[in-house]
Amino acid sequence: WYARQLAASLALLLVRQGDAVGLLAFDDAMRSHVAPRGGRKHWHELLRSMAALDATGRTDAGTALRDLAARLRRRGLVILLSDLLVDTEATRLALRFLRHRGHEVLVLHLMDPGERELPGVGDVRFFDPESDEELPARAADLRRDYREAVERALAEWRNELAPQGIDYVVIGTDEPMAHALRAYLHKRERLG
């Protein structure tokens, strides 16, 4: 829901600025593709396409981003909205390829607060929605190690992408969308 609302908001900002906006939605395969165009009518087409999407299954961002790079004929801004539960190396390689092809890239890493911190007390059951595996554990026993692992993973994304000129912003799904929109506007301002 959050990603869909954010994508619609970003698309509206872009359309109102007179830019062409497209959409490539994927999981382990491409689910929707709307070629870049401008105008309010096109924005409504983007909304219809987004409304039909559901988050399910595995995600192959690397393949989707390489496919996107092959489709784009002109340089532009590529915004990836994702929880980044992906093959990190393949995704980073594809993002670097987009930069190499002259595109500006902004990665908005969407995180549910429950992904960042374990619950306060008691037993927890970890569930991997992509593999359907479950793992029971005591939250107190894992809290510190979990927090460190999450922070290490976020730092790896930031440290791998920044030297490539790829902007990376973590957005909590409990935060107002204004934070993500500001990240876009900041990127846009630097592109001047």
Side-chain angles (χ1 to χ4, degrees):
W1 178 90
Y2 193 94
R4 190 179 357 234
Q5 298 300 313
L6 180 55
S9 299
L10 287 166
L12 183 60
L13 275 174
L14 288 159
V15 164
R16 285 191 174 170
Q17 292 173 12
D19 293 322
V21 182
L23 171 73
L24 177 68
F26 58 91
D27 47 29
D28 61 345
M30 187 185 330
R31 298 299 170 200
S32 180
H33 177 258
V34 179
R37 286 195 305 275
R40 196 155 183 81
K41 190 174 185 180
H42 179 65
W43 182 70
H44 286 287
E45 180 183 344
L46 291 168
L47 292 181
R48 281 190 296 280
S49 184
M50 284 185 253
L53 298 172
D54 284 321
T56 59
R58 295 186 177 277
T59 304
D60 183 1
T63 299
L65 292 170
R66 283 191 308 277
D67 181 52
L68 175 64
R71 289 173 183 267
L72 294 175
R73 300 290 173 235
R74 295 179 17 214
R75 291 181 190 166
L77 172 63
V78 174
I79 303 173
L80 174 63
L81 301 174
S82 176
D83 59 11
L84 293 180
L85 298 175
V86 295
D87 177 333
T88 56
E89 196 49 45
T91 302
R92 289 176 187 150
L93 184 62
L95 290 167
R96 287 192 301 265
F97 182 66
L98 281 164
R99 278 296 292 147
H100 177 73
R101 301 266 318 240
H103 300 286
E104 290 297 324
V105 180
L106 171 60
V107 176
L108 298 177
H109 185 168
L110 305 181
M111 288 191 77
D112 183 274
E115 293 174 308
R116 200 135 194 196
E117 284 289 329
L118 291 178
V121 294
D123 293 336
V124 294
R125 182 174 304 275
F126 293 98
F127 175 74
D128 181 347
E130 296 184 0
S131 68
D132 289 332
E133 291 183 42
E134 292 186 25
L135 175 67
R138 284 180 27 88
D141 295 342
L142 300 175
R143 182 170 288 103
R144 188 189 67 193
D145 290 340
Y146 181 86
R147 183 181 302 125
E148 288 173 1
V150 168
E151 292 306 318
R152 196 168 40 253
L154 297 179
E156 285 175 16
W157 278 106
R158 194 171 16 263
N159 294 337
E160 288 285 327
L161 297 179
Q164 307 299 321
I166 298 170
D167 291 304
Y168 169 79
V169 181
V170 178
I171 304 293
T173 57
D174 60 335
E175 297 176 25
M177 286 186 198
H179 296 281
L181 296 174
R182 252 191 303 277
Y184 157 72
L185 291 170
H186 181 69
K187 176 78 169 172
R188 182 74 179 221
E189 183 178 283
R190 287 195 333 256
L191 295 176

